[in-house]
Amino acid sequence: MITTITEFELAQPLSRAQAREIFLSTAPKYQGMPGLIRKYYFINQEGTRTGGVYLWQSRKDADRMYTDEWKAFVRGKYGVEPRVSYLETPVVVDNGINQIIADD
């Protein structure tokens, strides 16, 4: 499994309510996305940094996401260039389903 963290420094701060509205407007596009296990949206307390934490089945799945088209979407939505970090994720503790998931 692969975890990716996307981050965007915002030129103008967003309130939590504004961020929630934006996040809800984009969330449906991630439902049923091949290889995406889970996505978390985040915003810092100051409202100046936002992004997502994604859990993917594989690096190949993650790479299908972060295309030039996706970067253009982020620039259009937030007016900034996104940063993407890739992290190997060999084990996940999921208390929602009471399981420990280990990558092969």
Side-chain angles (χ1 to χ4, degrees):
M1 293 177 288
I2 295 290
T3 296
T4 57
I5 301 172
T6 61
E7 295 183 86
F8 329 117
E9 296 293 332
L10 303 175
Q12 297 293 322
L14 293 174
S15 69
R16 184 185 185 283
Q18 290 170 312
R20 183 179 184 277
E21 185 176 323
I22 291 169
F23 299 160
L24 284 171
S25 77
T26 63
K29 84 180 241 178
Y30 297 99
Q31 287 185 304
M33 184 172 281
L36 180 62
I37 298 168
R38 185 171 285 118
K39 176 181 181 178
Y40 300 92
Y41 290 87
F42 70 84
I43 186 167
N44 68 351
Q45 289 185 349
E46 297 79 19
T48 57
R49 186 170 47 96
T50 187
V53 179
Y54 302 72
L55 181 60
W56 298 97
Q57 290 177 353
S58 70
R59 173 69 188 246
K60 182 179 174 183
D61 293 321
D63 286 343
R64 280 197 307 266
M65 174 70 184
Y66 306 114
T67 62
D68 290 339
E69 181 180 282
W70 177 82
K71 291 174 186 174
F73 169 79
V74 170
R75 285 191 299 272
K77 193 78 169 169
Y78 298 102
V80 296
E81 192 70 29
R83 290 187 311 270
V84 181
S85 301
Y86 292 82
L87 307 159
E88 291 287 335
T89 310
V91 176
V92 173
V93 176
D94 190 326
N95 287 328
I97 60 173
N98 196 31
Q99 287 187 349
I100 295 173
I101 304 160
D103 206 3
D104 293 336

